[in-house]
Amino acid sequence: MSVLPSSAPTSALERLPPLRSVHTTSFADLLDQFGISLLVTTYQAGKLVMLRADNGVVNTHFRSFPKPMGLALHGNRLAIGTALEVREFHNVPAVAAKLPPAGKHDACFLPRCSHATGEVLIHEMAWGTDSFSRESPASKSSTLAEGSRLNDEELWFVNTRFSCLCTLDRLSSFVPRWRPPFITALAPEDRCHLNGLGLVNGEVRYVTALGQTDTAGGWRANKKNGGILMEVPSGAILLGGLSMPHSPRWHQRRLWLLESGTGTIGFVDLGAGRYEPIAALPGFTRGLDFYGSLAFIGLSQVRESAVFSGIPLTERLSERTCGVWVVELITGRTVAFLKFEDAVQEIFAVQVLPQARFPDLINDDPKILSDSFVLPDDALSDLPDALRADNLTPPARPIQAPSKSALPGTRPK
């Protein structure tokens, strides 16, 4: 695999600090072949990064946010968890068609609403439903928003500071819905470092934490191998002895996991109660999404600090890499990578944008935001024809993954 420098913005604002990256030629080929792009958050650099194929290279497009962490995509809706709030954006194709250069962009996410949560250390997020009732042992401490129904799809997020899973309502900072049975109080103490959230068929099912501990910051004492994987509906611990696990994902009838402290990706043998790594990578693995039989994995350098000292990864590698690695699930082989240099050192979330080759997200352009409007369908008939987007651009198409039967092959060009 040959390595090329990535294409990046060249404005003076974005040159300080440098946001350089390099990538294999196969990375751009994969994005182009599948017609996808990637979203990546880096809380350390305060950026949302869009990775987009552009004439044989990867264009890295940056938008600034205060400590962006979790991402959740559902159709044309995108939620981003930041330092103090959850921000929601909607894809508006009519705006994408007007962005320069003409005809280049096929998706454009505009801000729709934000919800102030306070500093709850938001980690992973997903739109889904719960399959457990408030009477189940694992959810005795759950609080449901007034008027909500158990099986309605909602935005769920990991509230790491309060050691719980949450949703949102109009009045509260957050609505606690579930916490591990061993957590005895709803306290802002990061007792177990709850971090990962996994769904099965749209239902909340799995979480990861860095320890089975019930004291303020108690997980830190045994971070090397105190991590756990839990099943949410039952509250059961399915697997222990993990090194800083993150990103549980159900894909192709398997439960996948990143054991970040060892820098690996693997699957969980639920019958045997065992984690089976398929690949060891050159960084702290955190942030995971799939397309067909390929895994897109975030890697972080991780600093030599009290949080990351003494874990197997730092003992195995004196120098770690930050970037996105693409691994073939069948073989564990790395088929492509993009490596950040200089300013970007840690990654949290990685999200595939299917059917969006060259997206943008607008969060700080007053001109575009002041003149872009989304109205209910029944109001469009009252607009002059010249102002109606349906006369100017194709109708909106939800961003969604193709069916399994329609998935393209997974070999790079």
Side-chain angles (χ1 to χ4, degrees):
M1 293 183 289
S2 56
V3 179
L4 298 174
S6 301
S7 163
T10 56
S11 69
L13 179 62
E14 295 289 17
R15 283 201 302 267
L16 295 173
L19 297 165
R20 293 189 293 264
S21 61
V22 296
H23 63 85
T24 59
T25 54
S26 54
F27 200 104
D29 289 344
L30 286 173
L31 298 182
D32 186 55
Q33 177 186 347
F34 297 150
I36 63 175
S37 53
L38 297 179
L39 300 180
V40 177
T41 59
T42 165
Y43 60 92
Q44 163 264 329
K47 304 291 182 184
L48 172 73
V49 192
M50 285 159 270
L51 306 183
R52 318 177 294 192
D54 188 14
N55 296 319
V57 299
V58 177
N59 173 274
T60 53
H61 190 53
F62 296 84
R63 294 299 187 190
S64 296
F65 285 90
K67 198 178 179 181
M69 294 277 281
L71 294 172
L73 179 71
H74 180 64
N76 284 314
R77 303 168 68 187
L78 174 69
I80 305 175
T82 67
L84 301 177
E85 60 187 354
V86 173
R87 301 187 186 183
E88 186 173 328
F89 294 77
H90 285 202
N91 177 32
V92 184
V95 175
K98 296 177 179 295
L99 296 177
K104 184 78 167 181
H105 297 81
D106 52 6
C108 182
F109 290 88
L110 298 184
R112 187 54 53 221
C113 59
S114 63
H115 185 104
T117 59
E119 190 177 18
V120 297
L121 306 180
I122 290 177
H123 276 58
E124 290 198 332
M125 309 167 61
W127 262 287
T129 63
D130 64 4
S131 59
F132 47 89
S133 70
R134 70 179 84 194
E135 286 78 28
S136 69
S139 58
K140 287 180 179 177
S141 60
S142 297
T143 302
L144 291 173
E146 183 180 354
S148 71
R149 297 191 301 273
L150 286 175
N151 290 322
D152 284 348
E153 194 167 72
E154 301 172 272
L155 180 64
W156 290 72
F157 63 92
V158 178
N159 181 333
T160 302
R161 190 175 183 188
F162 283 83
S163 308
C164 62
L165 296 181
C166 294
T167 55
L168 301 173
D169 70 11
R170 292 181 179 274
L171 299 179
S172 310
S173 296
F174 56 87
V175 180
R177 296 288 289 270
W178 179 92
R179 64 175 185 260
F182 56 82
I183 298 294
T184 58
L186 190 67
E189 297 175 341
D190 185 13
R191 294 187 174 191
C192 64
H193 206 75
L194 198 67
N195 58 52
L197 174 61
L199 277 61
V200 177
N201 297 325
E203 294 183 349
V204 173
R205 183 67 61 84
Y206 301 110
V207 293
T208 50
L210 300 194
Q212 187 183 349
T213 49
D214 192 32
T215 58
W219 58 273
R220 296 174 182 268
N222 192 28
K223 61 182 181 294
K224 182 176 182 178
N225 57 10
I228 58 175
L229 168 71
M230 298 186 67
E231 183 183 58
V232 173
S234 67
I237 296 176
L238 302 179
L239 198 59
L242 297 169
S243 182
M244 306 190 82
H246 286 81
S247 309
R249 301 286 188 270
W250 185 261
H251 181 69
Q252 295 184 343
R253 299 183 180 181
R254 270 186 169 171
L255 176 57
W256 298 88
L257 190 69
L258 300 179
E259 192 177 27
S260 311
T262 61
T264 62
I265 176 177
F267 62 90
V268 177
D269 186 331
L270 292 170
R274 185 171 60 241
Y275 170 72
E276 299 283 358
I278 66 165
L281 303 175
F284 187 85
T285 47
R286 180 177 54 197
L288 174 63
D289 203 1
F290 300 94
Y291 195 84
S293 295
L294 295 179
F296 293 81
I297 307 159
L299 268 62
S300 297
Q301 291 180 4
V302 299
R303 303 173 299 277
E304 292 291 351
S305 65
V307 175
F308 298 109
S309 63
I311 61 176
L313 176 66
T314 56
E315 295 170 353
R316 175 168 67 89
L317 296 173
S318 58
E319 295 185 7
R320 279 84 56 190
T321 297
C322 179
V324 178
W325 254 239
V326 187
V327 170
E328 200 172 45
L329 296 178
I330 298 173
T331 64
R333 181 174 64 98
T334 295
V335 296
F337 67 81
L338 179 142
K339 181 168 63 174
F340 290 108
E341 300 177 335
D342 303 311
V344 180
Q345 300 170 0
E346 296 189 16
I347 284 174
F348 183 76
V350 175
Q351 174 70 59
V352 173
L353 277 182
Q355 301 179 26
R357 294 175 177 271
F358 208 84
D360 203 348
L361 180 146
I362 308 298
N363 65 338
D364 60 358
D365 188 318
K367 175 60 177 175
I368 293 178
L369 296 178
S370 64
D371 290 337
S372 298
F373 306 94
V374 178
L375 300 178
D377 289 344
D378 58 7
L380 295 180
S381 60
D382 294 331
L383 290 176
D385 288 344
L387 296 181
R388 291 169 56 179
D390 57 353
N391 290 334
L392 303 176
T393 61
R397 176 180 64 175
I399 294 177
Q400 57 187 7
S403 64
K404 290 183 179 179
S405 61
L407 283 175
T410 58
R411 295 283 182 180
K413 290 182 179 179

PDB file of all heavy atoms in Angstrom, residues 362 364-371:
ATOM      1  N   ILE A 362     -22.634  22.282   8.552  1.00  0.00           N
ATOM      2  CA  ILE A 362     -22.512  23.722   8.757  1.00  0.00           C
ATOM      3  C   ILE A 362     -22.895  24.058  10.190  1.00  0.00           C
ATOM      4  O   ILE A 362     -24.035  23.839  10.607  1.00  0.00           O
ATOM      5  CB  ILE A 362     -23.412  24.509   7.788  1.00  0.00           C
ATOM      6  CG1 ILE A 362     -23.175  24.058   6.337  1.00  0.00           C
ATOM      7  CG2 ILE A 362     -23.186  26.000   7.950  1.00  0.00           C
ATOM      8  CD1 ILE A 362     -21.771  24.284   5.838  1.00  0.00           C
ATOM      9  N   ASP A 364     -21.101  27.043  11.687  1.00  0.00           N
ATOM     10  CA  ASP A 364     -20.559  28.367  11.999  1.00  0.00           C
ATOM     11  C   ASP A 364     -20.532  29.295  10.787  1.00  0.00           C
ATOM     12  O   ASP A 364     -19.699  30.192  10.710  1.00  0.00           O
ATOM     13  CB  ASP A 364     -19.155  28.222  12.589  1.00  0.00           C
ATOM     14  CG  ASP A 364     -18.179  27.530  11.640  1.00  0.00           C
ATOM     15  OD1 ASP A 364     -18.609  27.124  10.535  1.00  0.00           O
ATOM     16  OD2 ASP A 364     -16.996  27.376  12.008  1.00  0.00           O
ATOM     17  N   ASP A 365     -21.440  29.106   9.848  1.00  0.00           N
ATOM     18  CA  ASP A 365     -21.492  29.964   8.662  1.00  0.00           C
ATOM     19  C   ASP A 365     -22.791  30.772   8.718  1.00  0.00           C
ATOM     20  O   ASP A 365     -23.866  30.266   8.340  1.00  0.00           O
ATOM     21  CB  ASP A 365     -21.445  29.122   7.383  1.00  0.00           C
ATOM     22  CG  ASP A 365     -21.297  29.974   6.133  1.00  0.00           C
ATOM     23  OD1 ASP A 365     -21.965  31.029   6.045  1.00  0.00           O
ATOM     24  OD2 ASP A 365     -20.539  29.580   5.227  1.00  0.00           O
ATOM     25  N   PRO A 366     -22.754  32.002   9.205  1.00  0.00           N
ATOM     26  CA  PRO A 366     -23.985  32.790   9.379  1.00  0.00           C
ATOM     27  C   PRO A 366     -24.780  32.972   8.093  1.00  0.00           C
ATOM     28  O   PRO A 366     -26.017  32.982   8.132  1.00  0.00           O
ATOM     29  CB  PRO A 366     -23.469  34.131   9.907  1.00  0.00           C
ATOM     30  CG  PRO A 366     -22.133  33.826  10.507  1.00  0.00           C
ATOM     31  CD  PRO A 366     -21.557  32.728   9.668  1.00  0.00           C
ATOM     32  N   LYS A 367     -24.127  33.112   6.963  1.00  0.00           N
ATOM     33  CA  LYS A 367     -24.840  33.335   5.712  1.00  0.00           C
ATOM     34  C   LYS A 367     -25.705  32.141   5.351  1.00  0.00           C
ATOM     35  O   LYS A 367     -26.900  32.275   5.042  1.00  0.00           O
ATOM     36  CB  LYS A 367     -23.841  33.644   4.588  1.00  0.00           C
ATOM     37  CG  LYS A 367     -24.467  33.787   3.217  1.00  0.00           C
ATOM     38  CD  LYS A 367     -25.500  34.909   3.167  1.00  0.00           C
ATOM     39  CE  LYS A 367     -26.055  35.080   1.768  1.00  0.00           C
ATOM     40  NZ  LYS A 367     -27.150  36.083   1.720  1.00  0.00           N
ATOM     41  N   ILE A 368     -25.111  30.951   5.392  1.00  0.00           N
ATOM     42  CA  ILE A 368     -25.879  29.747   5.037  1.00  0.00           C
ATOM     43  C   ILE A 368     -26.985  29.498   6.053  1.00  0.00           C
ATOM     44  O   ILE A 368     -28.126  29.199   5.702  1.00  0.00           O
ATOM     45  CB  ILE A 368     -24.943  28.524   4.947  1.00  0.00           C
ATOM     46  CG1 ILE A 368     -23.985  28.684   3.759  1.00  0.00           C
ATOM     47  CG2 ILE A 368     -25.745  27.240   4.815  1.00  0.00           C
ATOM     48  CD1 ILE A 368     -22.986  27.567   3.616  1.00  0.00           C
ATOM     49  N   LEU A 369     -26.663  29.651   7.326  1.00  0.00           N
ATOM     50  CA  LEU A 369     -27.649  29.362   8.359  1.00  0.00           C
ATOM     51  C   LEU A 369     -28.791  30.367   8.373  1.00  0.00           C
ATOM     52  O   LEU A 369     -29.940  30.020   8.667  1.00  0.00           O
ATOM     53  CB  LEU A 369     -26.969  29.322   9.732  1.00  0.00           C
ATOM     54  CG  LEU A 369     -25.927  28.207   9.927  1.00  0.00           C
ATOM     55  CD1 LEU A 369     -25.298  28.315  11.308  1.00  0.00           C
ATOM     56  CD2 LEU A 369     -26.558  26.843   9.737  1.00  0.00           C
ATOM     57  N   SER A 370     -28.504  31.623   8.048  1.00  0.00           N
ATOM     58  CA  SER A 370     -29.558  32.641   8.092  1.00  0.00           C
ATOM     59  C   SER A 370     -30.520  32.530   6.921  1.00  0.00           C
ATOM     60  O   SER A 370     -31.673  32.969   7.013  1.00  0.00           O
ATOM     61  CB  SER A 370     -28.934  34.039   8.116  1.00  0.00           C
ATOM     62  OG  SER A 370     -28.217  34.294   6.925  1.00  0.00           O
ATOM     63  N   ASP A 371     -30.084  31.928   5.814  1.00  0.00           N
ATOM     64  CA  ASP A 371     -30.922  31.884   4.615  1.00  0.00           C
ATOM     65  C   ASP A 371     -31.384  30.475   4.245  1.00  0.00           C
ATOM     66  O   ASP A 371     -31.855  30.247   3.125  1.00  0.00           O
ATOM     67  CB  ASP A 371     -30.173  32.484   3.434  1.00  0.00           C
ATOM     68  CG  ASP A 371     -29.993  33.992   3.576  1.00  0.00           C
ATOM     69  OD1 ASP A 371     -30.796  34.601   4.307  1.00  0.00           O
ATOM     70  OD2 ASP A 371     -29.054  34.540   2.974  1.00  0.00           O
TER      71      ASP A 371
END
